[in-house]
Amino acid sequence: MEAWLHGLLAALSLPQYGLSTVFVVALISATLLPMGSEPVVFGLVKLNPELFWPAVLVATAGNTLGGAISWAMGYGAHHAVDRARGQNTEAKALRWLQRFGPKACLLSWLPAVGDPLCAVAGWLKLPFWPCLAYMAVGKLLRYLVMTAGLLWVFPGGISF
């Protein structure tokens, strides 16, 4: 079993597979599905240090695209609810998000609330492109800090 796991991790860490794996995991983890992409990015960078920037940028792109999908899901849900009710729906508790506008998407990197925040931004029909730009900045900073921090904390690696 352990040999199989090491073989799988070695295959997924190869540059031709590793970056695509990082992209897919980062994309899925940015939707409302509970998944973390940081361990995948860290694992790839730990095994292939020369892929630090490509891995961070690919993870940022995948996670930002996942945030855009969440935004679109929120937008579509709001549109569907409005048509079903025949009126605009807007919770008073969400007015603070409207006050900050797309800048609130900078917080899309936060655990637990970041991904739903993207969906809520779509629900509130905040402008897509500014939201996407703020999501990308927030997610880039998260991957940069998390990956560099993990490399600093675990310079010798993690043994399984």
Side-chain angles (χ1 to χ4, degrees):
M1 177 70 165
E2 188 174 323
W4 176 83
L5 180 61
H6 283 292
L8 178 64
L9 290 174
L12 291 177
S13 70
L14 294 173
Q16 65 265 31
Y17 301 116
L19 290 176
S20 58
T21 302
V22 164
F23 182 83
V24 170
V25 171
L27 185 139
I28 292 171
S29 73
T31 63
L32 299 176
L33 297 174
M35 186 178 213
S37 56
E38 291 83 0
V40 175
V41 175
F42 173 67
L44 178 66
V45 171
K46 194 63 186 166
L47 293 171
N48 303 287
E50 70 280 1
L51 291 179
F52 178 84
W53 283 108
V56 166
L57 294 175
V58 166
T60 299
N63 214 249
T64 301
L65 182 59
I69 291 169
S70 293
W71 184 96
M73 290 178 0
Y75 183 88
H78 191 170
H79 185 70
V81 169
D82 283 351
R83 283 206 305 178
R85 288 188 176 176
Q87 63 181 358
N88 283 342
T89 56
E90 204 163 291
K92 293 178 184 178
L94 302 177
R95 291 185 198 252
W96 71 270
L97 183 58
Q98 280 186 312
R99 183 172 32 136
F100 291 109
K103 292 176 187 165
C105 290
L106 272 172
L107 301 176
S108 64
W109 65 271
L110 289 170
V113 298
D115 298 331
L117 179 69
C118 296
V120 172
W123 174 273
L124 293 175
K125 299 179 182 176
L126 297 178
F128 176 74
W129 292 110
C131 285
L132 190 69
Y134 283 112
M135 281 183 228
V137 169
K139 291 170 183 291
L140 172 66
L141 292 174
R142 175 187 72 192
Y143 283 114
L144 190 59
V145 169
M146 289 293 294
T147 306
L150 285 171
L151 288 172
W152 181 70
V153 170
F154 300 109
I158 302 172
S159 60
F160 290 97

